[in-house]
């Protein structure tokens, strides 16, 4: 669309709308960060201060000293990373198969996968929980990793399939006629080209696993096995709410997501066109 | 080792199929099976009751209330997030300084953990110390602090927070599509003397139809089955029964009253409503979209 100058009426409207949008989305985060650095006394002053007049790390000290926050953090990292690795190995092989080999029922499989993409967690958790208890792996990280892998697989497959489709078949055929085996062609020709797609898909999977609440709530009962979202939610519900500590925890959970997000922003629009993410 | 393409293809897709089959499709089918039983959530005993759970639901006022709240919640959040999302995407499609920065920041609410979004908003909306009440009082919009988590306002708060959390999905999908509309179309409309509004109605909207078809479908499915946002919002405060939507009710029956059979029946009803609504939606709009 045409450039609208700052001084035209249209330009003015656009700038004000953009400012409003920025305020609505960023201000809550600013407030969380500001609260997490305020001493307890200042959190409850009226009228509120926008910036802490005296910066303090006391909220973070309480978070690390008096709660299991670090354990939850470690659990979240372990569970999310394992789910990503497992999902990516399975989904890359699957997407490669769906785009490079012709076999009976291929299109049917693709549409089945698209259909399961629409399953919401609440439709699965009840029977999933009963089954997990039957197998006897309730309250383990394995159960969580299985849940996330299953849950992330449909959209990962769908996304990677779109990325693989955009890589010209000719490149691979050239490598094959040059005498490279299929596996070598895959490793040296296809995977490097598909890397942006694989990275973007991994990040979406990671964020989904990292942000999940319902599966942890249901599958994990021991406090030392909980991941961050349930850990923080329980801290919040425990006693008198320590807003400073809760806000500092909320900020720390958000950091990895934001870092990853900035890291993949380049690939985001492309991935989105192919139907990324769920939630 | 040389495999035929047929075998190699099937070998590579089979792990995906095994996982999806055993951990997604099988649980859903098992859930339907469970809904015909009276079963405790922890203990293995179960008793076949046929349609008993479904018949019970028909006379259960809490079930009907949860259908009502679920409909209010999903319809209003979907309409609002689509409207806000399209408007925001149109703004972000204009050229202005700092556009990429704003585009990035606008997606934050969708990326952060739901638990953080809810706790953050509970703090902002806190009736005693919250910033929102403070600003509204300062601007003279209200005379007395509003109890946002109280029974009169909790549904409104929940809807607004959900729109805030999920509208970025609409923005991103619509924005990706807006960038592919050929500028020629706008120039032609301008030559024909179309106003800005006229160009939006006659050029932009028709181009957005196919992406909106998919976005509305996905958002509807996810809002209707949304659990964590609603559940976390309901924790504490004592007004949880005023936002008890269908997914929350299914969860409560299973994990607080330990009635796994009844909980499954609720989930099945939810699934059935979705399937029927999706079929109607496809029938109404699909042919025109050519998808």
């Amino acid at each position: 669309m045409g450039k609208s100058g700052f001084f035209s009426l249209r330009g003015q409207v656009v700038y004000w709308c953009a400012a409003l949008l920025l305020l609505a989305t960023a201000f809550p985060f600013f407030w969380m960060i500001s609260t997490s650095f305020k001493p307890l006394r200042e959190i409850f002053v009226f009228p509120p201060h926008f910036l802490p007049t005296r910066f303090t790390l006391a909220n973070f000290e309480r978070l690390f000293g008096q709660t299991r926050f670090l354990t939850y953090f470690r659990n979240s990292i372990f569970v999310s990373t394992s789910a990503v690795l497992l999902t990516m190995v399975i989904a890359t092989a699957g997407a490669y198969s769906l785009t490079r080999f012709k076999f009976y029922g291929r299109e049917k499989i693709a549409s089945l996968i698209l259909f399961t993409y629409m399953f919401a967690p609440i439709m699965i958790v009840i029977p999933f929980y009963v089954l997990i208890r039957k197998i006897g792996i309730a309250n383990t990280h394995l159960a969580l990793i299985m849940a996330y892998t299953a849950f992330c697989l449909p959209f990962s497959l769908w996304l990677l399939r779109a990325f693989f489709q955009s890589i010209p078949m000719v490149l691979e055929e050239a490598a094959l006629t040059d005498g490279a085996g299929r596996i070598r062609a895959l490793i040296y020709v296809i995977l490097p080209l598909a890397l942006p797609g694989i990275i973007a898909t991994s990040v979406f999977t990671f964020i989904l696993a990292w942000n999940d609440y319902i599966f942890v709530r249901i599958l994990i009962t021991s406090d030392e096995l909980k991941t961050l979202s349930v850990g923080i939610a329980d801290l919040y519900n425990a006693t008198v709410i320590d807003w400073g500590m809760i806000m500092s925890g909320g900020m720390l959970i958000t950091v990895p997501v934001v870092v990853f997000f900035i890291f993949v922003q380049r690939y985001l629009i492309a991935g989105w066109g192919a139907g990324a993410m769920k939630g | 080792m040389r495999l035929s393409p047929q075998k190699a293809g099937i070998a590579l897709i089979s792990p995906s199929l095994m996982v999806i089959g055993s951990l997604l499709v099988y649980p859903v089918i098992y859930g339907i099976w469970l809904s015909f039983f009276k079963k405790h959530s922890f203990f293995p005993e179960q008793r076949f009751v046929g349609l008993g759970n479904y018949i019970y639901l028909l006379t259960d006022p809490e079930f009907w209330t949860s259908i009502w709240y679920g409909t209010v919640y999903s319809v209003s959040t979907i309409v609002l997030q689509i409207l806000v999302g399209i408007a925001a995407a149109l703004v972000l499609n204009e050229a202005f300084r700092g556009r990429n920065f704003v585009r990035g920041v606008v997606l934050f609410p969708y990326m952060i953990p739901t638990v953080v979004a809810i706790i953050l908003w509970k703090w902002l909306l806190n009736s005693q110390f919250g910033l929102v009440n403070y600003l509204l009082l300062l601007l003279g919009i209200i005379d007395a602090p509003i109890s946002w988590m109280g029974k009169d306002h909790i549904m409104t708060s929940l809807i607004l927070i959900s729109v805030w959390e999920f509208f970025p999905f609409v923005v991103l999908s619509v924005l990706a599509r807006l960038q592919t509309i050929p500028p020629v179309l706008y120039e032609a409309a301008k030559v024909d003397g179309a106003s800005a509004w006229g160009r939006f109605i006659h050029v932009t909207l028709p181009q957005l139809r196919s992406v909106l078809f998919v976005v509305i479908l996905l958002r509807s499915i996810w809002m209707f089955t949304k659990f964590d946002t609603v559940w976390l919002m309901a924790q504490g405060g004592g007004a949880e029964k005023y936002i008890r939507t269908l997914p929350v009710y299914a969860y409560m029956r299973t994990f607080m009253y330990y009635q796994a059979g009844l909980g499954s029946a609720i989930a099945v009803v939810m699934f059935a409503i979705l399937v029927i609504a999706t079929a109607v939606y496809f029938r109404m709009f699909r042919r025109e979209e050519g998808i």
Side-chain angles (χ1 to χ4, degrees):
Chain A
M1 276 204 191
K3 282 236 177 222
S4 21
F6 183 72
F7 297 105
S8 68
L9 176 66
R10 188 192 173 110
Q12 282 288 313
V13 172
V14 167
Y15 272 96
W16 282 108
C17 288
L20 187 68
L21 209 50
L22 193 63
L23 188 73
T25 45
F27 186 79
F29 293 100
F30 163 78
W31 195 241
M32 174 166 72
I33 296 168
S34 168
T35 306
S36 66
F37 288 111
K38 279 178 186 171
L40 269 186
R41 216 175 324 138
E42 214 184 324
I43 290 175
F44 300 110
V45 291
F46 226 70
H49 302 158
F50 280 82
L51 283 171
T53 43
R54 203 165 55 78
F55 268 91
T56 175
L57 293 175
N59 296 320
F60 293 89
E61 281 163 17
R62 281 200 309 286
L63 184 70
F64 289 122
Q66 294 170 15
T67 74
R68 284 217 169 108
F69 187 79
L70 275 178
T71 312
Y72 303 149
F73 206 93
R74 216 177 302 126
N75 293 342
S76 270
I77 297 262
F78 171 71
V79 170
S80 308
T81 314
S82 317
V84 168
L85 289 178
L86 198 58
T87 308
M88 292 322 291
V89 170
I90 299 175
T92 310
Y96 185 73
S97 155
L98 286 177
T99 53
R100 291 299 190 268
F101 296 102
K102 282 210 165 61
F103 53 90
Y104 178 76
R106 188 177 82 162
E107 298 312 307
K108 278 217 178 69
I109 290 175
S111 26
L112 169 86
I113 290 165
L114 189 63
F115 178 66
T116 56
Y117 170 61
M118 296 179 187
F119 286 4
I122 189 71
M123 288 151 42
I124 308 161
V125 281
I126 299 169
F128 197 86
Y129 174 78
V130 174
L131 289 169
I132 287 292
R133 274 187 74 92
K134 256 190 195 164
I135 315 171
I137 54 166
N139 198 27
T140 62
H141 283 158
L142 178 67
L144 275 185
I145 294 168
M146 279 165 63
Y148 297 151
T149 305
F151 199 63
C152 294
L153 203 54
F155 86 81
S156 299
L157 271 165
W158 200 252
L159 200 55
L160 284 173
R161 177 172 173 259
F163 274 107
F164 280 167
Q165 274 168 345
S166 67
I167 301 170
M169 200 81 108
V170 196
L171 286 175
E172 198 183 353
E173 279 158 9
L176 285 175
T177 42
D178 281 352
R182 206 168 250 289
I183 299 196
R184 285 174 59 104
L186 177 67
I187 291 173
Y188 293 105
V189 180
I190 302 296
L191 284 186
L193 285 168
L195 198 61
I198 294 177
I199 293 174
T201 315
S202 314
V203 169
F204 291 138
T205 307
F206 184 89
I207 292 178
L208 215 100
W210 184 265
N211 290 0
D212 168 67
Y213 173 83
I214 187 168
F215 284 110
V216 194
R217 171 89 291 158
I218 287 167
L219 296 174
I220 300 296
T221 43
S222 318
D223 193 39
E224 67 276 7
L225 291 177
K226 280 177 192 160
T227 61
L228 280 168
S229 11
V230 166
I232 284 284
D234 288 354
L235 282 182
Y236 176 87
N237 291 324
T239 46
V240 179
I241 302 165
D242 182 344
W243 284 109
M245 186 179 85
I246 291 284
M247 289 296 131
S248 60
M251 196 181 107
L252 292 178
I253 309 180
T254 312
V255 170
V257 178
V258 171
V259 169
F260 268 127
F261 172 65
I262 292 168
F263 178 60
V264 285
Q265 217 189 344
R266 287 191 289 148
Y267 313 121
L268 203 67
I269 299 277
W272 215 271
M277 274 309 258
K278 64 189 291 182
Chain B
M1 184 181 67
R2 277 242 167 264
L3 283 173
S4 73
Q6 168 98 16
K7 278 185 187 149
I10 290 173
L12 286 171
I13 193 74
S14 48
S16 302
L17 289 178
M18 269 153 55
V19 172
I20 290 178
S22 60
L23 299 176
L24 287 180
V25 178
Y26 177 64
V28 167
I29 295 169
Y30 182 64
I32 298 174
W33 167 258
L34 264 184
S35 74
F36 298 116
F37 287 85
K38 192 179 169 82
K39 183 179 185 321
H40 190 278
S41 301
F42 290 164
F43 307 118
E45 298 85 51
Q46 52 187 41
R47 187 160 57 80
F48 183 75
V49 290
L51 290 173
N53 288 323
Y54 294 97
I55 292 163
Y56 172 81
L57 284 178
L58 286 177
T59 58
D60 174 19
E62 282 188 88
F63 169 72
W64 291 106
T65 318
S66 68
I67 288 204
W68 168 243
Y69 285 145
T71 311
V72 169
Y73 172 68
S74 43
V75 171
S76 42
T77 50
I78 292 158
V79 171
L80 285 173
Q81 64 188 284
I82 297 285
L83 293 180
V84 175
I86 295 177
L90 289 172
V91 170
L92 293 176
N93 195 38
E94 295 285 325
F96 60 88
R97 203 176 309 160
R99 182 175 71 171
N100 284 341
F101 175 72
V102 183
R103 277 184 183 175
V105 171
V106 162
L107 302 178
F108 276 14
Y110 188 70
M111 296 293 168
I112 60 162
T114 297
V115 66
V116 175
I118 296 297
I119 289 177
L120 179 50
W121 276 104
K122 281 192 171 172
W123 172 226
L124 283 160
L125 294 175
N126 186 288
S127 56
Q128 263 182 297
F129 306 104
L131 193 66
V132 172
N133 270 346
Y134 169 74
L135 291 176
L136 290 177
L137 284 168
L138 192 71
L139 296 171
I141 298 172
I142 55 172
D143 304 325
I146 290 184
S147 161
W148 292 103
M149 299 297 147
K151 73 180 181 63
D152 297 331
H153 297 288
I154 192 162
M155 182 56 103
T156 316
S157 311
L158 172 66
I159 289 171
L160 293 177
I161 294 171
S162 304
V163 171
W164 180 83
E165 194 184 348
F166 300 111
F167 90 96
F169 181 90
V170 182
V171 175
L172 206 51
S173 316
V174 171
L175 193 57
R177 181 68 184 90
L178 280 177
Q179 290 170 346
T180 63
I181 299 178
V184 196
L185 292 180
Y186 289 103
E187 282 150 28
K190 251 186 189 160
V191 172
D192 290 345
S195 63
W197 178 249
R199 291 198 296 275
F200 173 70
I201 294 292
H202 297 295
V203 181
T204 314
L205 264 190
Q207 293 278 326
L208 289 182
R209 282 198 70 151
S210 56
V211 71
L212 286 179
F213 176 80
V214 177
V215 168
I216 292 173
L217 175 70
L218 290 177
R219 290 267 34 114
S220 306
I221 294 174
W222 293 333
M223 293 321 291
F224 191 65
T225 53
K226 183 61 66 194
F227 172 78
D228 49 2
T229 304
V230 187
W231 174 257
L232 287 162
M233 186 72 179
Q235 299 294 292
E240 68 276 351
K241 75 172 198 236
Y242 298 94
I243 51 170
R244 192 179 295 157
T245 59
L246 215 43
V248 173
Y249 191 48
Y251 176 92
M252 283 181 60
R253 281 291 173 186
T254 313
F255 298 103
M256 294 169 88
Y257 301 118
Y258 305 121
Q259 296 164 308
L262 192 59
S264 302
I266 299 170
V268 171
V269 171
M270 197 161 63
F271 196 50
I273 295 177
L274 270 183
V275 169
I276 294 167
T278 309
V280 171
Y281 181 75
F282 265 78
R283 185 152 285 217
M284 281 168 69
F285 299 107
R286 183 182 184 172
R287 207 166 332 138
E288 300 161 42
E289 307 311 331
I291 312 170

